[in-house]
């Protein structure tokens, strides 16, 4: 029995982290990252949620999500992971450099996700900075605005990042 608790009974901003199965680098390819963003867009609309920020790394995803309604987090995550997994698997099946690398029956995502509930603007900014620095800390880029798979360019350069970014009503 899991001791994990999800707090979804108040209007928190949820700092969410989830990882690829076995810490595999399913998200090395830009097309797989695009699929994660596309399904995020779809689920934000379906669940009446806003994205405060995100970063897609080669083996995991961080995002800050706020919901208009209470009790949406679990369904949102189930739907986002399910639809992105289906889309990524379809892509991988058509790519020769992936074929045989990972067993077809293995999942794309680890079963669970981690959620940290945030109630203050200061903590939101702290988590945004943490997320945006992730590609720099991993040596993927030298500046946060060079990584095309995060919301950093929205905040630093007022550029579109493929997902509508908004500030929550906390």
């Amino acid at each position: 029995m899991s001791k994990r608790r999800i707090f979804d009974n108040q209007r928190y901003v949820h700092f969410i982290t989830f990882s690829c199965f076995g810490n595999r680098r399913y998200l090395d390819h830009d097309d797989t990252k695009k699929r994660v963003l596309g399904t995020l867009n779809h689920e934000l609309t379906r669940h009446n949620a806003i994205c405060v920020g995100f970063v897609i790394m080669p083996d995991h995803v961080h995002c800050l999500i706020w919901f208009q309604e209470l009790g949406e987090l679990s369904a949102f995550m189930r739907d986002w992971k399910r639809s992105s997994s289906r889309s990524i698997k379809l892509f991988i099946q058509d790519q020769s450099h992936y074929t045989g690398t990972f067993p077809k029956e293995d999942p794309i995502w680890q079963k669970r996700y981690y959620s940290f509930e945030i109630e203050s603007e200061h903590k939101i900014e702290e988590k945004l900075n943490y997320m945006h620095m992730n590609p720099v800390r991993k040596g993927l880029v030298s500046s946060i605005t060079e990584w095309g798979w995060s919301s950093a360019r929205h905040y630093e350069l007022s550029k579109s990042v493929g997902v509508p970014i908004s500030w929550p009503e906390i």
Side-chain angles (χ1 to χ4, degrees):
M1 168 140 332
S2 173
K3 294 182 181 176
R4 188 178 78 121
R5 296 176 63 195
I6 295 174
F7 295 92
D8 202 11
N9 59 351
Q10 294 182 33
R11 284 208 164 74
Y12 297 111
V13 172
H14 300 275
F15 174 63
I16 301 163
T17 301
F18 59 102
S19 299
C20 294
F21 180 76
N23 294 317
R24 293 177 178 155
R25 295 173 65 105
Y26 285 121
L27 306 176
D28 265 340
H29 201 283
D30 286 354
D31 280 332
T32 56
K33 291 190 271 303
K34 286 177 188 174
R35 290 163 188 268
V36 171
L37 286 182
T39 55
L40 172 59
N41 271 321
H42 179 73
E43 298 308 331
L44 289 169
T45 301
R46 276 187 64 210
H47 291 273
N48 200 19
I50 64 167
C51 181
V52 181
F54 70 92
V55 65
I56 301 174
M57 298 296 290
D59 64 348
H60 69 280
V61 175
H62 294 295
C63 62
L64 288 161
I65 304 290
W66 184 84
F67 298 97
Q68 296 283 339
E69 304 294 325
L70 299 178
E72 287 291 314
L73 178 61
S74 292
F76 175 85
M77 288 305 299
R78 178 199 64 222
D79 295 345
W80 185 19
K81 287 172 70 178
R82 181 184 295 156
S83 56
S84 63
S85 178
R86 286 180 185 147
S87 182
I88 290 168
K89 280 193 173 220
L90 286 172
F91 171 75
I92 288 173
Q93 289 172 359
D94 293 336
Q95 301 301 307
S96 60
H97 63 278
Y98 277 120
T99 306
T101 307
F102 308 119
K104 239 189 324 192
E105 61 277 357
D106 281 357
I108 297 296
W109 305 115
Q110 296 281 16
K111 284 188 181 210
R112 302 203 184 268
Y113 60 91
Y114 170 78
S115 177
F116 176 83
E117 286 65 43
I118 301 173
E119 297 182 75
S120 72
E121 288 191 17
H122 171 75
K123 195 56 127 172
I124 292 170
E125 291 170 3
E126 179 184 300
K127 292 300 183 189
L128 279 169
N129 289 332
Y130 169 80
M131 288 188 323
H132 293 159
M133 283 301 296
N134 213 337
V136 175
R137 282 191 304 272
K138 296 291 183 179
L140 300 171
V141 291
S142 57
S143 163
I144 63 172
T145 56
E146 292 173 13
W147 188 248
W149 305 103
S150 83
S151 54
R153 291 173 296 120
H154 168 82
Y155 287 103
E156 298 294 320
L157 305 173
S158 299
K159 300 261 185 183
S160 173
V161 293
V163 173
I165 303 295
S166 299
W167 201 256
E169 302 169 17
I170 56 172

